[in-house]
Amino acid sequence: MNGLMELRERLKNFYEDYDFVIRPVFRFVLALISLIALNNQIGYLEVLNQVFVVLILAVICAILPINGLVLICSVVIVAHSMALSVETGAFAIILYLLMVLLYFRFVPKDALAIILIPVAFVFHVDAAVPVALGLIRGPVSTVSMIFGLISWSYVQSLPADIAPLVNSDESSLLDVIQAMPRALFTTKMLLLLIVSVIVLLIVAMIRKLASSHSWEMSIAVGSILYVGLKIVGSLLLGVDIDILAEIFGTALSVGICLIIEFFNFCADYTRTEYLEFEDDHNYYNVRVTPKRTTEYMESLDRDATEDMSQIPSDDSRFMESEQQNEVSRKFEGINLQSKLEESLKTLNTNQSGKENGTGDTTTRIYRRSGSVSHRWDDLETGDDDEDRNTSGDTRVISPGRKNLK
């Protein structure tokens, strides 16, 4: 785990140091992949299929923010649709104009999600789309997910369903206009939209629960629910899907979501603490869960090492037991109670002798001044006691002299 923590911290530090280079390069690569995929899928306009034009558009996307890539891809799709026919171009203008306006109105920060949705479907990891958006963004990303799914459905239906009608001599303009909405909103597409929205909302709800491992629970529940609803819905609605491919793609999606969780929310639930406090108006219940960072893991290792160093080893325990046995052998056979009684009698005798004036009247007093100790002996015979006690806090009462300060 420490190695993974160090790798994550190194990647974060590398990104923070070179983000001014990484971001443009990332946008350039993402734009290049998206434009090439669109040209291969719907390459009706020959000008946009040229490599030089694709590179220029990718460089422009690298300079612009990520939302610029959304606009350029929308313009490319509309241009290819217009090259196919005027009616498909008009339909694409209305569709993408509506989606772009609503997108910038509600979810302008989900541009990366809209761009990566077609990539997820190409690699059959479409379950990662609603689960990841539910983890990172929340219910508001439902709008961007719907736009991405509709755009992907339009790009797929354009060469498969709409282009044959446009190129057919038997179909009329009315047939093409009626076929475009039907090709866009098929039964399979409606099932995918419903399942994705349900999974995203449930994942976002579970992630907000005040319980341990809420992110892992939301990933597991969302992935199982996604593949389960798709299989049940396909059986009820008669939609053909590959069940094995769906299960395998969902497993890959779980791995992708766990990687996202590791980089965005890596918590140590074993160290969770619950705090309760109050003020004049409210009661507060707070759950504190530490993040797994390199410094945090190193502090845990240091604490464990210190705890182990405080535990005596077997050799030290053996030596302590041997010392205790040796001390017990020394006092073996000695009546400690009788020795104690004799000591008490001697102490009482000395005390009574002092009270009768027959005891030793020599008083020895130590006065500490700073870090030096001074000893005065036989104060009853001294004549300069007053001078000696002028600098200190010791008050001397000697049996030989009544008032000695």
Side-chain angles (χ1 to χ4, degrees):
M1 182 60 73
N2 291 339
L4 294 177
M5 294 294 110
E6 293 179 359
L7 177 61
R8 187 184 68 171
E9 294 299 326
R10 289 178 181 177
L11 291 176
K12 286 186 176 181
N13 294 332
F14 180 79
Y15 179 78
E16 292 176 357
D17 295 336
Y18 301 99
D19 60 338
F20 63 94
V21 177
I22 295 175
R23 289 184 179 181
V25 172
F26 175 75
R27 289 195 292 266
F28 175 80
V29 174
L30 187 60
L32 192 63
I33 295 174
S34 301
L35 293 174
I36 292 175
L38 288 176
N39 291 333
N40 291 333
Q41 187 74 17
I42 50 171
Y44 300 113
L45 189 60
E46 295 296 333
V47 177
L48 295 178
N49 294 331
Q50 297 179 5
V51 178
F52 182 72
V53 176
V54 172
L55 290 176
I56 291 177
L57 292 177
V59 171
I60 295 174
C61 292
I63 299 173
L64 296 176
I66 192 68
N67 285 326
L69 178 58
V70 176
L71 292 176
I72 290 179
C73 289
S74 299
V75 172
V76 169
I77 294 173
V78 171
H80 284 301
S81 301
M82 188 66 69
L84 178 62
S85 66
V86 177
E87 52 271 19
T88 55
F91 182 80
I93 291 174
I94 296 173
L95 178 65
Y96 280 92
L97 183 62
L98 181 63
M99 287 196 300
V100 167
L101 292 177
L102 291 177
Y103 161 74
F104 282 106
R105 174 63 179 85
F106 293 103
V107 283
K109 296 182 179 180
D110 286 351
L112 190 61
I114 295 178
I115 298 299
L116 292 179
I117 283 176
V119 178
F121 278 91
V122 168
F123 291 98
H124 301 286
V125 289
D126 46 290
V129 173
V131 177
L133 290 177
L135 290 174
I136 299 175
R137 295 290 297 162
V140 70
S141 294
T142 305
V143 179
S144 60
M145 183 183 65
I146 292 175
F147 290 166
L149 294 176
I150 292 176
S151 177
W152 170 246
S153 178
Y154 177 77
V155 171
Q156 277 190 319
S157 63
L158 193 62
D161 300 323
I162 300 175
L165 290 176
V166 173
N167 297 325
S168 177
D169 296 333
E170 298 179 357
S171 61
S172 61
L173 178 62
L174 183 61
D175 295 333
V176 175
I177 295 175
Q178 292 178 351
M180 284 188 290
R182 289 199 302 266
L184 183 61
F185 297 101
T186 59
T187 304
K188 184 178 181 179
M189 184 60 195
L190 293 176
L191 175 63
L192 182 60
L193 284 173
I194 294 172
V195 171
S196 299
V197 170
I198 292 174
V199 171
L200 190 150
L201 296 177
I202 291 178
V203 168
M205 181 183 65
I206 296 176
R207 182 181 64 88
K208 293 293 184 180
L209 293 178
S211 61
S212 299
H213 303 281
S214 59
W215 280 58
E216 289 84 353
M217 291 171 54
S218 60
I219 292 173
V221 173
S223 301
I224 294 173
L225 190 63
Y226 182 85
V227 66
L229 289 177
K230 283 195 71 174
I231 293 174
V232 173
S234 64
L235 294 176
L236 294 177
L237 299 176
V239 178
D240 296 331
I241 62 171
D242 191 351
I243 297 178
L244 293 179
E246 291 291 336
I247 295 174
F248 182 73
T250 304
L252 293 178
S253 302
V254 170
I256 294 173
C257 294
L258 289 176
I259 294 174
I260 294 174
E261 187 267 341
F262 176 74
F263 280 95
N264 289 272
F265 188 83
C266 188
D268 186 8
Y269 291 104
T270 60
R271 302 279 177 171
T272 301
E273 296 181 359
Y274 295 88
L275 306 178
E276 296 182 1
F277 54 94
E278 62 177 308
D279 56 13
D280 296 336
H281 303 286
N282 302 300
Y283 293 97
Y284 301 93
N285 295 302
V286 181
R287 186 187 70 172
V288 180
T289 304
K291 295 181 179 179
R292 290 183 182 270
T293 59
T294 305
E295 294 80 5
Y296 173 73
M297 300 301 294
E298 290 177 354
S299 65
L300 290 182
D301 294 338
R302 287 195 300 267
D303 294 340
T305 304
E306 292 176 359
D307 293 339
M308 291 299 295
S309 62
Q310 294 176 0
I311 299 176
S313 60
D314 295 337
D315 295 338
S316 60
R317 291 178 180 176
F318 177 75
M319 295 299 293
E320 290 178 359
S321 62
E322 287 295 324
Q323 292 176 359
Q324 293 175 359
N325 294 332
E326 184 178 356
V327 172
S328 62
R329 285 195 298 269
K330 286 182 180 180
F331 288 96
E332 186 177 0
I334 299 176
N335 192 349
L336 297 178
Q337 184 175 0
S338 62
K339 293 291 184 180
L340 180 60
E341 291 177 355
E342 292 177 0
S343 300
L344 290 175
K345 288 179 182 180
T346 305
L347 181 62
N348 292 331
T349 303
N350 294 335
Q351 185 68 27
S352 61
K354 289 181 181 181
E355 291 177 356
N356 296 329
T358 60
D360 187 11
T361 60
T362 302
T363 304
R364 295 181 179 180
I365 299 176
Y366 292 84
R367 180 170 66 88
R368 183 174 298 275
S369 176
S371 61
V372 181
S373 297
H374 305 279
R375 190 179 74 176
W376 294 352
D377 297 333
D378 300 331
L379 293 176
E380 64 272 18
T381 60
D383 296 332
D384 56 348
D385 296 326
E386 192 71 20
D387 297 335
R388 293 176 181 176
N389 287 302
T390 56
S391 61
D393 55 353
T394 306
R395 183 178 179 85
V396 181
I397 306 297
S398 177
R401 301 177 65 176
K402 293 183 180 180
N403 294 323
L404 181 61
K405 295 182 180 181

